[in-house]
Amino acid sequence: MDKIMIVEDDIKIAEYLGSHIEKYGYEVTIAADFEKIMDAFLEVQPKLILLDINLPSFDGYYWCRQIRKVSICPVIFISARTGEMDQVMAIENGGDDFITKPFNPDIVMAKIRSQMRRAYGEYAVKFEERVLIQEGLHFYPERLELRFRDESTQLTKKETDIVESLMERYPRVAGRQDLLAKLWDDQAYVDENTLNVNIARVRNKFQEIGIEDAVETVRGAGYRLRITWKEDKG
């Protein structure tokens, strides 16, 4: 049963939407703690999210940006805001569609089914999962996962960006400025210290799967992947 998450601080609207959606065979989760939306999202792993703009603590634009760092699931904004700029902001912050209140629940349902078809069904773009391999080390960018032999570890988005750069450029150097540009996000500039911290975390992730000294510092240039392990042929 596909899961749909509703993030709406008006509990009556949320329950009304939820009961209507459940009639069509979906499992619905209604967010309760508006300071921990991402925790709930990662736990539920919904196939689609209905997201209000006006929320306590942080608005829907903020939460959509956070979701987009870890998922490409469809996000439909539902809001009483009717201005064109609000709809533009919704799309620019990662939303897929926008519905204004008051709404017809059948239209909401039609848009949900349309987005589900595009993302997962007959209209979905089919693609093979990417995997980068070096001497038995398997890196899955879409999974944010690094695997070697029987060990695996999960990466953050920034750690994934660094590992991807190192593996794609091997045996060349991944320049510091190039890495800084890749780690740039919409919240703040990623400074040199942030890069150093994330490089240290990447080294720790390699150690978690049994690989030592995998990231070499090239003074004055950047970092390079160092093959200190060999594929187990046995």
Side-chain angles (χ1 to χ4, degrees):
M1 185 181 293
D2 290 333
K3 298 178 182 179
I4 292 178
M5 183 174 174
I6 299 175
V7 183
E8 163 65 65
D9 62 341
D10 187 322
I11 189 60
K12 290 184 178 179
I13 292 177
E15 290 180 346
Y16 172 64
L17 265 175
S19 62
H20 187 78
I21 292 169
E22 285 175 342
K23 294 177 183 177
Y24 291 83
Y26 295 98
E27 180 180 339
V28 175
T29 297
I30 297 174
D33 188 339
F34 294 98
E35 292 186 355
K36 297 181 178 179
I37 298 300
M38 283 306 298
D39 290 344
F41 178 85
L42 293 171
E43 180 179 351
V44 174
Q45 294 287 316
K47 288 293 187 70
L48 180 143
I49 184 167
L50 297 174
L51 182 61
D52 193 10
I53 295 175
N54 294 327
L55 295 169
S57 301
F58 299 97
D59 64 20
Y61 300 141
Y62 170 83
W63 289 119
C64 191
R65 292 196 301 272
Q66 305 314 303
I67 290 167
R68 282 292 169 258
K69 292 179 181 180
V70 299
S71 174
I72 58 172
C73 86
V75 176
I76 301 178
F77 279 94
I78 296 182
S79 177
R81 299 187 186 184
T82 59
E84 291 183 355
M85 185 51 63
D86 293 308
Q87 298 186 40
V88 170
M89 288 285 290
I91 301 302
E92 289 188 344
N93 280 279
D96 297 285
D97 207 339
F98 191 100
I99 300 172
T100 56
K101 301 174 184 176
F103 52 78
N104 182 320
D106 291 328
I107 291 178
V108 175
M109 198 63 241
K111 287 180 175 286
I112 287 174
R113 295 169 84 172
S114 174
Q115 290 295 335
M116 295 286 274
R117 285 196 301 270
R118 290 180 181 180
Y120 314 108
E122 58 195 286
Y123 305 141
V125 176
K126 308 300 182 186
F127 64 92
E128 293 185 2
E129 181 181 19
R130 283 196 307 141
V131 56
L132 302 180
I133 303 173
Q134 285 288 353
E135 289 289 341
L137 174 69
H138 289 67
F139 170 57
Y140 302 90
E142 282 84 15
R143 298 188 206 177
L144 282 68
E145 180 182 0
L146 198 58
R147 179 178 292 275
F148 182 60
R149 295 176 181 164
D150 295 327
E151 301 294 331
S152 67
T153 185
Q154 289 297 126
L155 308 172
T156 66
K157 181 62 171 64
K158 285 184 172 60
E159 291 165 357
T160 296
D161 289 340
I162 291 172
V163 172
E164 185 171 13
S165 293
L166 291 171
M167 292 193 70
E168 286 182 340
R169 298 194 181 204
Y170 176 80
R172 295 169 296 152
V173 173
R176 289 186 66 88
Q177 291 305 314
D178 291 334
L179 289 171
L180 283 168
K182 193 160 190 176
L183 294 179
W184 183 286
D185 62 23
D186 57 3
Q187 298 299 306
Y189 177 71
V190 179
D191 60 20
E192 293 276 333
N193 186 59
T194 302
L195 176 57
N196 295 339
V197 169
N198 279 279
I199 288 290
R201 289 174 177 167
V202 166
R203 285 176 169 141
N204 288 336
K205 291 300 176 71
F206 275 104
Q207 290 174 356
E208 286 180 13
I209 57 174
I211 295 176
E212 299 287 340
D213 303 321
V215 182
E216 176 186 6
T217 300
V218 181
R219 192 174 299 277
Y223 301 92
R224 177 168 51 207
L225 185 69
R226 186 174 174 220
I227 306 296
T228 59
W229 67 96
K230 290 295 181 181
E231 183 174 8
D232 187 356
K233 301 295 186 180

